[in-house]
Amino acid sequence: MTVRDIVLWPDTRLTELCARIAAITPEIETLASDMLETMYDAPGRGLAGPQVGAMQRIFVMDTEWKEGSPAPMVFINPEIETRSAVQSAQSEGCLSIPGVTVEVSRPAEVTLRWTDLAGQETRRVFSGFAAACVQHELDHLNGIVTLDHLTEAARASVEADYAEALA
Ligand code: ZN
């Protein structure tokens, strides 16, 4: 497993639509294990393909490891099947936008369908932090970042602070 470089905003790879994965090849298996290693190293709880420059529909997540019980998950070609009407607002950080935390309102519960690394079609209901996390990572596969959820004025202010912090 290799820790890969994390792509940082405003790299345009973070604004692109990612391609479906046609087959789980050894390259995809290596990509998945590298992404998990990169996520743990960062440290973070979720990481999507484009964040390591892999423009494919894959993300990894482990919402438990910081509490001492690692549960790595790999999501290939994920799709949201149902969203709750109830929304929940949470503070979200992003490994590609270091130092920036944004309050994002999203459906509080989602049913996600995906293919796992063994090629199994899987379906699960996520709520709480995990629901926000899977929606955040799925956004990345569609070229969307947390900043895209802000109003124009809020975004301009956050981007100015971010540019200053990078300078
Ligand atoms: Zn992110």
Side-chain angles (χ1 to χ4, degrees), residues 3 14 51 53 81 111 159:
V3 172
L14 296 170
Q51 294 185 276
E81 289 195 324
T111 306
E159 284 193 350

Side-chain angles (χ1 to χ4, degrees), residues 4-19 48-56 96 139-145:
R4 300 197 187 190
D5 289 337
I6 294 180
V7 170
L8 296 182
W9 182 262
D11 192 301
T12 54
R13 284 173 290 181
L14 296 170
T15 66
E16 290 172 23
L17 183 67
C18 294
Q51 294 185 276
V52 291
M55 306 309 293
Q56 303 183 82
S96 291
D139 269 359
H140 276 302
L141 306 185
N142 294 323
I144 296 167
V145 296

Side-chain angles (χ1 to χ4, degrees), residues 51 93-96 136-137 140:
Q51 294 185 276
C94 180
L95 294 176
S96 291
H136 174 119
E137 301 310 333
H140 276 302

Side-chain angles (χ1 to χ4, degrees), residues 28-123:
I28 294 294
E29 290 171 0
T30 301
L31 173 63
S33 67
D34 286 358
M35 284 175 65
L36 282 165
E37 189 75 2
T38 304
M39 178 187 76
Y40 289 130
D41 178 72
R45 296 177 195 260
L47 187 74
Q51 294 185 276
V52 291
M55 306 309 293
Q56 303 183 82
R57 302 191 76 78
I58 179 172
F59 71 80
V60 297
M61 181 175 89
D62 188 341
T63 57
E64 308 291 328
W65 72 274
K66 287 187 181 178
E67 285 68 47
S69 49
M73 297 182 76
V74 176
F75 301 78
I76 294 165
N77 299 328
E79 286 187 50
I80 292 176
E81 289 195 324
T82 64
R83 298 169 169 81
S84 65
V86 176
Q87 299 269 315
S88 166
Q90 303 204 31
S91 290
E92 297 184 16
C94 180
L95 294 176
S96 291
I97 318 175
V100 172
T101 303
V102 166
E103 176 133 312
V104 182
S105 181
R106 303 178 184 276
E109 192 174 281
V110 294
T111 306
L112 192 76
R113 188 186 70 214
W114 72 95
T115 301
D116 70 17
L117 209 47
Q120 285 294 321
E121 185 98 334
T122 310
R123 183 181 271 103

